[in-house]
Amino acid sequence: MDLFTIIKKERLAGYLDSVVFGGFGAYLSQWAEDNHLDKLAILGKEYSSAPKAYRPQLLDAIERELQNSKITPLVEIGNPISQTVPVSALSAPLVSLKGIGEKRAQLFAKLGVNRVSDLLELYPRDYRDRRKLTRICDAQLGETITIRGLIVSCDLVRARRSGMAILSCIVKDDSGSISAVWFNQPFLQKKLQAGRQIQIYGRVEQRYGQPDLIVMEYQMGEEMDASLGLIPVYPATEGLSQKAIRSAIELAWKKVHAQVQPVLPSVLLQKRSLMEHVQALEIVHFPQDLSQLEAARRSLVYEELIQVQLAILLNTPGRNKVQRPPCDDQQLLADFTAALSFPLTAAQQRVIHEIYADMSADSVMARLVQGDVGSGKTIVAAAAIVKCCRQGRQAALMAPTEILARQHAANLSPLLNQLGLRTALLTGRTTAAERNQIVQQLRSGDLDCLIGTHALIQQGVEFHNMGLAITDEQHRFGVAQRAKLRGAEQTDVLIMSATPIPRTLAMTLYADLHISVIDELPPGRRPVKTYAVGYSYEQRIYRFIDKEISQGRQAYVVCPLVEDSDIADLNSATRVYENLSRNVFPQRRVSLLHGRMKAAEKEQDMQDFRDGNCDILVATTVIEVGVDVPNATVMLICDAERFGLAQLHQLRGRIGRGAAQSYCILLHNARSQVAQSRMRIITSTTDGFRLAEADLEQRGAGEIFGQRQHGLPELRIANVFRDAALLEPARQDAIAITQGQMDMPPILQKRVDKLLSLMT
Ligand code: ADP
Ligand code: MG
C-alpha cells in the first residue's frame, strides 16, 4: 500500500486521523522524519492536532507536498489498520505499548506525545512530596498531606444550590478521624466501602466549621505503597489522569530504557558535571530524593538549552566582514537632529550611538532594539537608515502589515527626503506599473530607502547595494523571513521589537544578536489608567464609553482570538459586535475587525477608524501591532483573563497616544489566583519589562509571543528564569561544537535538526 492510497482512505473515513493505527498524522510525520522530509513531518503533526474542519485542507497540502517530494512513498504497513512495523521500540507509536489503546494514544497526542520516546521526554512540571504519611491527628488546616486509614462510612449528598455530587467519607487511623471529600464523582461510592484501607493525598480545608480533607488523589490496595515518595506531576490534558500518564511512562521505561542513547558528548558531561541522559531520565520520572532530582533536572535542562543554542547558531551565518567608507557620525547626528521637530530622548541617543558603533565596525551589524510601545523606535530606525545611505548603500525597512508600512512611509519619507534621501513604499497593493518602476530604481541605485511589507522579500526585488535591513515589530516575523531579509552577506541587520523580552530570554531566542533597550518614553505622555472589573460592571462601562464618544473620542473593544483557528472565539468577537451595534450603541458607528477578513476590508475598517468615521472598533488582537490613532482614548478588553500580560500591555499601547487621558478597562472573569494576580499586576504597572518577566514566570516563554511568533518551539523542561545560570555555559559549549572543537553525537544532531525544522 502506498501513502497516496492511505490518504485516500483517510479522506473516505471522514478525516478522523484514524486510518492508520496510532493516528494518520503521527504515522505520516514519523515516516517523513525518517525520510528527512521536514515539512511533511510538520504537516503530519499539525494534522493530528488540527480541528477536523481544517483537516481536508491540510490533507490536500500533504498530498501536494508528497507529490513534490518525488519520493516513492511506498510504505510497508501491509494492513494499516491492524499492524505497524515499528522502526525501533523507541520510535514506535504509543500503541505499541501494551495497555495503551488508540483512544488513549490520541489523548497523549494532544500533549505532543506520539511515540514511545516522546513519552520518556514528557517531563514532569512539578513534584508532590509524598514521602511521609501524616497522622490524622496532626492534620493542619491549609496543608497538603497524605494519610492512610480505614474507611468508616461513605455518604453521598447533593449540594443544595448547584446539585453537585459530594462524597463524604469518614477515614480513621489510630490517631483520629477526618472526613475526606470528593466532588463530582458519585460513582466512587461503590468502591469506597466501609472497612477498606485507603490512602489519600489532599488538602485540609475548613468546610462548615470543621476541617475536611479535600481529596486530590487516592489509592487503595497495592497502589498505596507505590505512590508514596516524590511523585511527578505531568502536563495534563482533559481525559488523561496523572495516574494514567505515570503508568504509561512506567510501561515505556521498562520496555525501552536500554535503548536510550546518550545525547551529550561525554567530555561535556564531565566538564559541566552532568548526568548521562538515560540516568537523568530515570531520576526525573522516578525520583528518590530531592538533591538527586535537582541534579537530574539540571542535566536535562542543560541538554535542552544547548540544543536550542545550537539550533540558533546553526541557523545564523557568522558575522561577515564588511568594508565601510569613513563617515562623520557627529556631523551626521547634528544634521539628523536638526531635521527633527523634537529632541531625542537620552535613551534614543544612547541606542543610536550603539547602532552607529556597529555600523562603523568591520563586521556586519546584528542588533535587536527593544523599546516599549511609544518609546520612539521609528526615529532610531531612521537614524540607522541615514547612516547607511551616507555610506553609499541602500536601506530596507520591513513592517508586518500594510497599515504599518504605510504609516512608516508617511512618517519617515518627509524626514528622509529632507535629508536628501530618495524613498519609496512597496506593498502588496502597489500597482504593477509602480512596482516595476520601483524595482528598476532599486536595481540601478536611484532609490536610497525602500519601506514595505513582505512584498520586500519577494523575488524580483533586488537592491543595487543593500546595506541595511530593518524589520519592525519582528515578533510577527518568522525566523525564516528574517533570514531572507538579511539577504546579501554585507547587510547590517536591525530588528525593532515592542515586546519587552527579559534579558535571559532574549539571550535564548536571539543568541546571535546584540541587544539595545530604549527604556524611556518621550516626555509629556499621560500614562493610561487601567482598571480590572467583573462583568457586573458591563453596563456602567458602556455608559462611560458613550460619554467619551460624546466628547468626540473613539474606543476599541478587543475580544480574544489568540489563534486564527479558534472558531469559537471568532464567534465571540462577532457576538460582541452584534450586541454593541444593535442593542447597546445603536446610534454610534460600530465596526468589526478580525483576522479572517480580507486584507482590503481590514484596511478599510482601520482607515475609517483612523479618519474618525467610526466610533467603536470591535476587534480581535489584529490591532495589537503598531497602529496609531491618537483620538482613541478607551480600550475595553473582554475576557481579559485569557490574554497574557505582555499581550495586554501591547494592546493597551494602542491608546494613550494623544494629549487626552486614556482608559483601559479589563473586563474579566478571573477566578483562579494566578488570573487574579495577573489582573493586579497589569493594573499596577506600565513597565513592559516587569510585565514580561511576570508573564514569563507565570506562563512560560511561548506565551509571550504566542508559539508561532517567536519561531522557536516551546521549552520542555528549562525555565529561562530558574535556569538562567545555565544559559551562558550552554551557549559557550554550543559555540565550541559549531566550531568543531567538540563532536556532536548523532542523536544531538538529530534533535537540533528537528528544532531547526520547527524554526520557521
Ligand atoms: P514605537 O516605539 O512604538 O514604534 P514610535 O516610533 O511610533 O514608537 O513613536 C511614537 C510617537 O512618539 C511618534 O508620534 C513619534 O513621533 C513620537 N516621538 C518619538 N520620539 C520622540 C521624542 N524624542 N520626543 C517626542 N516625541 C517623540
Ligand atoms: Mg513602531
Side-chain angles (χ1 to χ4, degrees):
M1 168 137 8
D2 72 19
L3 257 173
F4 289 112
T5 318
I6 295 176
I7 289 175
K8 213 176 285 165
K9 288 197 166 190
E10 174 69 17
R11 273 211 187 89
L12 283 176
Y15 307 99
L16 295 173
D17 195 24
S18 62
V19 71
V20 182
F21 213 37
F24 167 75
Y27 177 81
L28 176 77
S29 69
Q30 153 89 72
W31 173 84
E33 250 170 52
D34 292 343
N35 286 285
H36 303 290
L37 301 169
D38 297 339
K39 192 153 171 213
L40 262 178
I42 294 169
L43 282 170
K45 286 203 186 98
E46 274 181 17
Y47 188 84
S48 309
S49 57
K52 224 174 98 187
Y54 286 99
R55 287 189 180 155
Q57 245 169 295
L58 272 173
L59 206 55
D60 289 346
I62 286 169
E63 200 166 27
R64 270 197 309 275
E65 193 58 32
L66 206 52
Q67 272 152 0
N68 291 343
S69 75
K70 299 205 180 72
I71 282 196
T72 323
L74 253 186
V75 287
E76 336 153 21
I77 52 170
N79 171 4
I81 305 292
S82 62
Q83 190 188 343
T84 51
V85 180
V87 182
S88 79
L90 256 180
S91 56
L94 272 200
V95 286
S96 67
L97 292 173
K98 259 204 206 90
I100 294 195
E102 186 145 354
K103 224 165 142 198
R104 187 154 285 186
Q106 271 168 12
L107 290 171
F108 272 109
K110 286 192 191 157
L111 295 172
V113 174
N114 297 303
R115 300 191 252 163
V116 176
S117 59
D118 296 338
L119 199 50
L120 293 185
E121 289 181 17
L122 180 67
Y123 297 131
R125 59 175 169 74
D126 202 0
Y127 293 85
R128 287 178 181 164
D129 190 353
R130 296 175 45 178
R131 282 171 298 176
K132 70 175 191 348
L133 290 170
T134 301
R135 282 153 47 97
I136 291 178
C137 69
D138 293 332
Q140 298 282 335
L141 270 184
E143 275 187 355
T144 304
I145 56 169
T146 309
I147 62 151
R148 197 182 268 193
L150 274 184
I151 300 177
V152 177
S153 66
C154 182
D155 294 306
L156 178 65
V157 292
R158 296 256 165 208
R160 229 169 281 139
R161 239 180 280 155
S162 61
M164 178 166 55
I166 300 173
L167 259 183
S168 167
C169 222
I170 307 291
V171 178
K172 71 162 201 210
D173 66 8
D174 54 14
S175 76
S177 67
I178 191 166
S179 108
V181 181
W182 283 259
F183 296 105
N184 270 330
Q185 300 171 72
F187 47 86
L188 289 181
Q189 194 178 17
K190 263 182 264 144
K191 207 170 158 192
L192 303 173
Q193 287 158 3
R196 290 198 62 182
Q197 273 267 346
I198 189 167
Q199 177 173 298
I200 296 175
Y201 174 72
R203 217 176 120 81
V204 187
E205 286 182 12
Q206 185 104 352
R207 288 178 77 238
Y208 307 112
Q210 70 172 62
D212 278 351
L213 186 60
I214 311 297
V215 179
M216 292 153 81
E217 260 189 41
Y218 74 97
Q219 289 86 29
M220 296 170 90
E222 57 189 38
E223 277 184 350
M224 289 197 297
D225 282 339
S227 33
L228 281 183
L230 284 167
I231 307 298
V233 181
Y234 291 95
T237 184
E238 212 176 309
L240 204 53
S241 69
Q242 288 294 328
K243 244 184 218 174
I245 299 176
R246 286 204 295 264
S247 76
I249 287 176
E250 207 173 313
L251 271 176
W253 177 259
K254 283 195 180 127
K255 186 165 173 196
V256 303
H257 71 269
Q259 293 178 30
V260 172
Q261 304 285 320
V263 171
L264 297 177
S266 45
V267 251
L268 260 189
L269 297 183
Q270 275 182 359
K271 179 171 165 201
R272 304 291 183 196
S273 317
L274 302 168
M275 282 180 202
E276 280 285 3
H277 185 61
V278 65
Q279 190 192 357
L281 272 187
E282 176 168 25
I283 293 171
V284 295
H285 289 306
F286 316 104
Q288 304 289 335
D289 73 73
L290 284 174
S291 64
Q292 194 196 29
L293 175 60
E294 195 40 48
R297 196 187 156 275
R298 182 173 167 273
S299 303
L300 295 177
V301 165
Y302 191 86
E303 276 176 16
E304 181 165 45
L305 292 178
I306 197 170
Q307 283 163 39
V308 172
Q309 294 295 325
L310 277 168
I312 292 171
L313 289 169
L314 292 174
N315 198 41
T316 37
R319 298 278 164 90
N320 289 304
K321 294 277 173 226
V322 61
Q323 291 258 326
R324 305 173 188 271
C327 172
D328 181 353
D329 284 356
Q330 294 236 298
Q331 186 58 47
L332 187 61
L333 263 176
D335 294 349
F336 182 70
T337 44
L340 297 176
S341 57
F342 45 74
L344 293 168
T345 63
Q348 283 170 322
Q349 290 180 31
R350 191 190 65 239
V351 172
I352 291 175
H353 279 297
E354 287 166 357
I355 292 171
Y356 277 16
D358 284 356
M359 293 178 74
S360 306
D362 61 0
S363 57
V364 298
M365 167 169 74
R367 185 168 288 276
L368 170 71
V369 173
Q370 292 186 44
D372 221 336
V373 275
S375 61
K377 292 184 291 294
T378 318
I379 292 302
V380 171
I385 291 172
V386 173
K387 169 143 177 155
C388 164
C389 299
R390 282 273 169 103
Q391 291 180 334
R393 308 203 290 166
Q394 293 167 300
L397 169 61
M398 183 159 84
T401 66
E402 175 98 20
I403 303 172
L404 265 181
R406 288 181 183 278
Q407 197 171 286
H408 279 326
N411 291 339
L412 289 185
S413 296
L415 174 67
L416 296 176
N417 293 347
Q418 196 184 332
L419 291 163
L421 304 178
R422 298 153 298 179
T423 62
L425 171 70
L426 182 65
T427 72
R429 289 212 278 161
T430 308
T431 62
E434 250 182 294
R435 184 175 189 276
N436 279 342
Q437 197 193 352
I438 290 172
V439 167
Q440 203 163 27
Q441 288 177 334
L442 205 57
R443 203 174 295 154
S444 64
D446 291 335
L447 263 181
D448 299 302
C449 174
L450 186 60
I451 298 171
T453 54
H454 301 97
L456 269 189
I457 51 170
Q458 276 158 15
Q459 291 215 326
V461 181
E462 279 167 37
F463 289 75
H464 171 66
N465 181 7
M466 172 132 129
L468 172 65
I470 304 177
T471 48
D472 188 25
E473 314 280 357
Q474 66 66 226
H475 64 277
R476 291 273 155 166
F477 291 108
V479 174
Q481 277 166 320
R482 269 198 269 156
K484 221 166 170 182
L485 184 66
R486 228 159 263 190
E489 294 183 342
Q490 310 265 298
T491 306
D492 290 320
V493 173
L494 192 60
I495 297 170
M496 325 288 287
S497 170
T499 306
I501 309 165
R503 195 165 176 86
T504 47
L505 180 58
M507 268 179 63
T508 328
L509 295 179
Y510 306 108
D512 51 327
L513 300 177
H514 293 139
I515 299 173
S516 292
V517 181
I518 311 182
D519 50 5
E520 181 185 357
L521 293 181
R525 294 279 163 82
R526 277 211 220 183
V528 175
K529 289 191 173 156
T530 307
Y531 305 93
V533 295
Y535 275 83
S536 58
Y537 281 76
E538 211 174 338
Q539 297 308 322
R540 248 192 276 182
I541 293 166
Y542 293 148
R543 283 199 292 279
F544 174 73
I545 292 179
D546 203 60
K547 209 178 87 206
E548 286 284 303
I549 296 174
S550 299
Q551 291 170 7
R553 313 260 182 254
Q554 293 162 283
Y556 292 105
V557 175
V558 184
C559 304
L561 174 79
V562 181
E563 287 283 50
D564 259 359
S565 61
D566 230 335
I567 299 164
D569 283 342
L570 183 58
N571 288 338
S572 97
T574 316
R575 236 183 1 255
V576 168
Y577 165 72
E578 304 221 309
N579 180 38
L580 293 187
S581 56
R582 282 205 201 135
N583 310 326
V584 186
F585 298 106
Q587 323 291 359
R588 304 295 185 192
R589 296 162 301 176
V590 186
S591 51
L592 174 65
L593 185 74
H594 59 71
R596 294 282 183 79
M597 287 163 47
K598 292 213 182 74
E601 288 170 0
K602 270 193 283 196
E603 245 146 71
Q604 189 57 50
D605 275 2
M606 211 49 241
Q607 196 62 46
D608 282 349
F609 192 65
R610 213 135 73 115
D611 296 343
N613 295 326
C614 162
D615 303 309
I616 301 175
L617 186 65
V618 180
T620 58
T621 52
V622 291
I623 57 147
E624 189 182 329
V625 168
V627 180
D628 210 0
V629 183
N631 193 46
T633 53
V634 187
M635 174 173 287
L636 172 63
I637 302 180
C638 305
D639 296 338
E641 74 277 5
R642 297 188 46 190
F643 294 91
L645 286 175
Q647 205 180 11
L648 287 173
H649 181 62
Q650 286 269 307
L651 285 167
R652 177 167 66 180
R654 299 298 112 227
I655 54 173
R657 301 195 149 225
Q661 177 63 54
S662 288
Y663 306 89
C664 176
I665 303 158
L666 308 170
L667 201 51
H668 70 94
N669 222 334
R671 295 228 180 76
S672 73
Q673 275 187 2
V674 174
Q676 298 247 356
S677 94
R678 279 225 298 277
M679 292 300 129
R680 262 198 306 279
I681 298 171
I682 186 84
T683 48
S684 65
T685 181
T686 52
D687 178 340
F689 280 91
R690 250 207 75 202
L691 288 167
E693 297 206 342
D695 225 11
L696 190 57
E697 250 165 320
Q698 289 188 350
R699 315 216 309 177
E703 299 282 354
I704 288 196
F705 316 91
Q707 182 85 341
R708 307 244 167 84
Q709 290 173 354
H710 67 59
L712 278 181
E714 187 109 43
L715 297 170
R716 296 166 142 257
I717 188 166
N719 171 320
V720 284
F721 263 101
R722 216 163 113 183
D723 305 314
L726 286 178
L727 267 168
E728 191 50 35
R731 183 164 126 104
Q732 281 167 14
D733 293 337
I735 292 173
I737 289 177
T738 55
Q739 290 175 345
Q741 297 164 21
M742 218 184 299
D743 282 341
M744 174 129 80
I747 185 152
L748 183 58
Q749 176 83 59
K750 210 172 149 197
R751 282 157 181 248
V752 172
D753 285 348
K754 191 162 161 187
L755 273 181
L756 277 168
S757 76
L758 292 170
M759 280 168 63
T760 47

